Amino acid sequence: MNRKYRKTVIAGNWKMNLTASEIKPFMEQLKPLLPKSRPCDVVLCTPAVMLPAMIKAGKDAKVAAGGQDVSKYEKGAYTGEVSAAQLADIGAKYCIVGHSERRQYHGEDDMLVNAKARVLLAKGIVPIICVGESLEQREADLTMEYVAYQVKAALHGIDATQLRRCIIAYEPIWAIGTGKTATAEQAQEVCEGIRAVIRKIYGARPARAVSILYGGSMNAKNAAELLAQPDIDGGLIGGASLKPADFAAIVAASDQ
Ligand code: PEP
């Protein structure tokens, strides 16, 4: 982390877990466990249908709400889709785009991820842009090449002012939901590489100001070491964000 230049963000990704009626009891457990003086921005990303409940319950605990996906279209005949304007209208402040599960199960490619990031920015929502390599790519020594491509594609057409409102989440696919965390060195190496890619496109100042999160089996035990790395500015947390005590411990671990 480098608090002098950028925000620390701890974001939970609930995926398709819990229900709207479980949010209030969750927040009642979480709130007293969160550090009084908040070392970071705290976000919980839920399915769109649960966002109003999360926004309501999160106000008191100073937990922002985020979506997990958005349509690339502004509006119209796209049954089942949720637009950036609709997310913004209900008060979502963040939205994940390009999560590996969407890339894998819904065929999302880098151009689509870029389009989604852009519609979010246009409506004032912070995109949390996920990138990360597969195990095969890591073993073939293609990690940085692949992740650099994903970052460049995701940021295509986004100017330096908009970049300030983007978050990048480095999530090695082999570490998501598997219990296999990247070592702090592996995670730092790629996050540093991502910042170098951004520096090449936008210059030193904008690159220095972008928050880059690590995601992939981050938990209460390994969070402090990962968050101590100079280019890791927070976490995107799946499984551990469903447990108030674990999630609060990760938030506390960002106070360093
Ligand atoms: C995620 O879904 O983005 C994630 C990192 O999940 P987990 O923490 O469970 O690996």
Side-chain angles (χ1 to χ4, degrees):
M1 290 183 294
N2 188 334
R3 289 181 196 285
K4 190 171 162 204
Y5 296 118
R6 45 197 181 256
K7 265 191 188 174
T8 304
V9 180
I10 299 294
N13 174 14
W14 277 10
K15 312 192 185 192
M16 201 170 71
N17 292 299
L18 303 183
T19 59
S21 37
E22 289 172 291
I23 291 176
K24 197 166 170 253
F26 179 96
M27 290 306 261
E28 281 166 3
Q29 282 188 58
L30 179 67
K31 194 183 159 197
L33 300 174
L34 289 171
K36 295 276 167 299
S37 80
R38 198 60 64 79
C40 59
D41 287 3
V42 181
V43 187
L44 282 170
C45 298
T46 72
V49 70
M50 288 158 64
L51 282 169
M54 179 56 80
I55 290 160
K56 193 169 171 219
K59 251 184 207 143
D60 205 27
K62 295 202 184 77
V63 173
Q68 297 178 358
D69 186 33
V70 67
S71 174
K72 74 168 178 175
Y73 301 108
E74 268 184 43
K75 62 183 207 171
Y78 302 102
T79 304
E81 295 264 75
V82 175
S83 73
Q86 289 164 339
L87 289 176
D89 183 59
I90 56 166
K93 300 288 180 223
Y94 298 79
C95 186
I96 297 169
V97 288
H99 192 280
S100 65
E101 286 153 15
R102 292 217 56 90
R103 293 179 190 255
Q104 186 182 346
Y105 306 133
H106 301 272
E108 295 201 357
D109 62 19
D110 293 296
M111 299 321 288
L112 182 55
V113 173
N114 172 250
K116 290 183 174 192
R118 289 164 72 158
V119 292
L120 288 169
L121 286 166
K123 297 297 172 196
I125 297 175
V126 174
I128 302 176
I129 301 167
C130 300
V131 296
E133 81 287 3
S134 66
L135 190 57
E136 292 72 25
Q137 288 165 326
R138 176 159 282 271
E139 285 173 352
D141 209 12
L142 290 169
T143 298
M144 209 50 243
E145 209 171 311
Y146 181 65
V147 171
Y149 170 76
Q150 286 184 307
V151 171
K152 278 187 229 164
L155 295 177
H156 176 73
I158 290 174
D159 65 27
T161 312
Q162 292 172 313
L163 177 76
R164 292 183 74 84
R165 294 190 286 114
C166 292
I167 291 176
I168 309 289
Y170 167 55
E171 298 207 303
I173 298 169
W174 48 271
I176 297 177
T178 59
K180 280 187 208 156
T181 319
T183 64
E185 293 72 31
Q186 285 172 326
Q188 164 58 24
E189 186 184 19
V190 181
C191 290
E192 188 182 1
I194 290 171
R195 201 176 304 287
V197 169
I198 297 173
R199 192 180 304 121
K200 254 194 184 164
I201 308 171
Y202 296 93
R205 267 175 174 241
R208 192 167 79 178
V210 176
S211 296
I212 302 176
L213 316 184
Y214 167 78
S217 299
M218 188 185 269
N219 58 41
K221 284 202 181 116
N222 60 28
E225 193 190 356
L226 287 159
L227 296 171
Q229 303 306 309
D231 287 288
I232 300 180
D233 306 304
L236 181 56
I237 298 115
S241 72
L242 295 165
K243 300 176 199 137
D246 291 16
F247 190 58
I250 297 172
V251 172
S254 74
D255 192 7
Q256 51 179 291

